[in-house]
């Protein structure tokens, strides 16, 4: 039985790789893609989502809707320095990739969620669209099986000493999402900085097939890199859905800092001391990185 998912995303190179996995894995039924401002502006993230859908010939099957142009309150700050001016540098997708649907992201999310019994939301950008959805249509919450969200960290940030990019971009939206009561799996920097596409894996992609060539081009132009490899942050959401056994998790209560020097920070009640034993997130804290690399290669080997 396939998992019905909706991806809310801001492509972005690692988002593009996550979309690639979600579109092609037979265990996943990707119902909708909604775009949000994040790694680059929303016009570019929408175009990039359309490019990936068109690359795999899914234009008629997977709708793409444009969403929020800016965070709820905080001024917008992109990550073009990491992903390039277009957000997806390194491969020529051409100019014939279609248009988003007429519905806004919030309307499209509402309609797609209400049409299903249990759907999994997979946000891999800032959570602005999700927050707007919950504020406008709280009834959708009971139709969402869980949220598997890339973002946050309980061990240190990549924007500040505490804040991770997706949460930092719109901390007010993150607070709304974490207070929503919907079950949340947090796939944050605690694991994504360990899930590196190694140089050996990257070199194998290059000559594998056209998808491998595309991903090789994108990842080679991805400025989030160490000597050990490129962290594929957003791809971890899909790997978690398919292989949760590869992750160690902790059930915790997490709060989001929405102001001050720790803005965008995720604070976990690791002692269970302040919320009467309640938790609001299953936080991924470790990963089998070798299994992640092998899975990545296996997935791509079966693509076009």
């Amino acid at each position: 039985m396939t998992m019905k998912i909706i991806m809310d995303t801001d492509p972005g190179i690692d988002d593009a790789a996550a979309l690639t996995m979600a579109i092609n894995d037979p265990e996943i039924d990707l119902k909708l893609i909604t775009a949000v401002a994040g790694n680059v502006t929303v016009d570019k993230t929408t175009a990039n989502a359309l490019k990936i859908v068109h690359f795999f010939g899914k234009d008629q099957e997977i709708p793409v809707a444009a969403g929020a142009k800016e965070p709820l309150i905080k001024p917008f700050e992109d990550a073009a320095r990491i992903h390039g001016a277009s957000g997806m540098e390194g491969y020529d997708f051409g100019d014939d990739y279609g248009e988003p649907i007429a519905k806004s992201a919030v309307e499209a999310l509402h309609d797609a969620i209400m049409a299903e019994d249990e759907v999994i939301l997979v946000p891999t950008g800032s959570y602005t669209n999700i927050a707007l959805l919950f504020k406008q249509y709280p009834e959708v919450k009971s139709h969402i099986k869980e949220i598997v969200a890339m973002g946050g960290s309980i061990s240190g940030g990549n924007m500040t000493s505490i804040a991770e990019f997706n949460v930092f971009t719109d901390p007010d939206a993150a607070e709304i999402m974490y207070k929503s009561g919907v079950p949340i799996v947090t796939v944050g920097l605690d694991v994504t900085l360990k899930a590196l596409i190694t140089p050996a894996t990257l070199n194998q992609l290059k000559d594998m097939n056209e998808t491998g060539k595309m991903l090789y081009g994108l990842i080679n132009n991805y400025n989030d890199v160490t000597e050990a490899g490129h962290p594929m942050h957003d791809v971890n959401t899909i790997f978690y859905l398919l292989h949760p056994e590869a992750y160690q998790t902790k059930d915790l209560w997490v709060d989001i800092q929405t102001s001050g020097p720790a803005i965008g920070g995720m604070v976990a009640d690791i002692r269970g001391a302040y919320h009467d034993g309640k938790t609001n997130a299953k936080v991924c804290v470790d990963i089998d990185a070798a299994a992640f690399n092998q899975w990545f290669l296996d997935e791509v080997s079966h693509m076009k």
Side-chain angles (χ1 to χ4, degrees):
M1 190 170 176
T2 57
M3 289 177 278
K4 295 175 287 190
I5 78 167
I6 293 170
M7 293 192 70
D8 185 72
T9 182
D10 64 337
I13 288 168
D14 54 328
D15 308 75
L19 287 169
T20 294
M21 301 303 172
I23 288 168
N24 287 282
D25 192 281
E27 293 183 47
I28 291 175
D29 181 7
L30 179 57
K31 295 290 187 181
L32 170 70
I33 300 168
T34 52
V36 66
N39 286 322
V40 285
T41 56
V42 73
D43 58 324
K44 293 178 180 178
T45 62
T46 304
N48 290 343
L50 289 164
K51 289 174 185 177
I52 295 295
V53 170
H54 182 70
F55 179 86
F56 291 110
K58 300 292 185 178
D59 311 62
Q60 302 303 313
E61 298 171 46
I62 305 173
V64 176
K69 297 180 180 179
E70 58 189 4
L72 298 180
I73 298 172
K74 187 174 174 287
F76 176 56
E77 180 179 344
D78 72 18
R81 68 192 183 284
I82 301 296
H83 297 267
S86 72
M88 283 190 347
E89 304 288 333
Y91 185 86
D92 183 7
F93 289 92
D95 299 320
D96 183 23
Y97 48 80
E99 298 286 336
I101 60 174
K103 292 178 185 177
S104 70
V106 169
E107 297 298 328
L109 285 164
H110 168 268
D111 293 352
I113 292 167
M114 297 304 288
E116 303 293 343
D117 291 328
E118 286 191 326
V119 66
I120 300 170
L121 274 187
V122 184
T124 63
S126 66
Y127 311 135
T128 314
N129 289 337
I130 308 299
L132 291 169
L133 174 71
F134 287 171
K135 288 172 70 177
Q136 189 169 346
Y137 298 112
E139 66 270 18
V140 301
K141 295 177 187 178
S142 63
H143 288 255
I144 299 169
K145 181 180 179 181
E146 65 180 352
I147 297 171
V148 178
M150 192 279 132
S153 168
I154 62 170
S155 60
N158 60 359
M159 290 299 287
T160 69
S161 60
I162 186 173
E164 176 276 333
F165 177 78
N166 285 349
V167 178
F168 179 82
T169 298
D170 196 342
D172 301 282
E175 181 183 45
I176 289 169
M177 190 178 83
Y178 274 90
K179 288 183 174 179
S180 69
V182 178
I184 296 175
V185 179
T186 300
V187 186
L189 299 182
D190 312 287
V191 291
T192 68
L193 290 177
K194 299 173 183 176
L196 305 177
I197 292 297
T198 66
T201 295
L202 185 59
N203 285 334
Q204 289 186 63
L205 289 174
K206 181 170 52 176
D207 301 316
M208 187 173 282
N209 48 36
E210 191 60 28
T211 302
K213 179 182 174 183
M214 179 266 287
L215 291 171
Y216 175 83
L218 296 184
I219 296 170
N220 240 6
N221 280 272
Y222 186 31
N223 289 325
D224 194 349
V225 60
T226 69
E227 288 186 4
H230 295 80
M232 287 285 103
H233 304 286
D234 298 334
V235 184
N236 277 263
T237 58
I238 307 303
F239 188 49
Y240 174 86
L241 284 171
L242 296 168
H243 294 286
E245 73 280 359
Y247 291 83
Q248 293 179 24
T249 64
K250 290 182 179 178
D251 291 328
L252 297 167
W253 187 281
V254 297
D255 289 304
I256 307 298
Q257 303 305 295
T258 58
S259 63
I263 189 170
M266 178 178 282
V267 180
D269 183 8
I270 57 173
R271 293 193 295 124
Y274 303 106
H275 297 87
D276 300 320
K278 297 176 182 175
T279 63
N280 64 351
K282 183 182 293 292
V283 181
C284 296
V285 294
D286 207 356
I287 181 177
D288 184 339
F292 175 79
N293 271 264
Q294 188 57 56
W295 166 81
F296 196 98
L297 288 171
D298 288 346
E299 290 278 297
V300 177
S301 72
H302 293 99
M303 298 179 195
K304 71 168 195 172

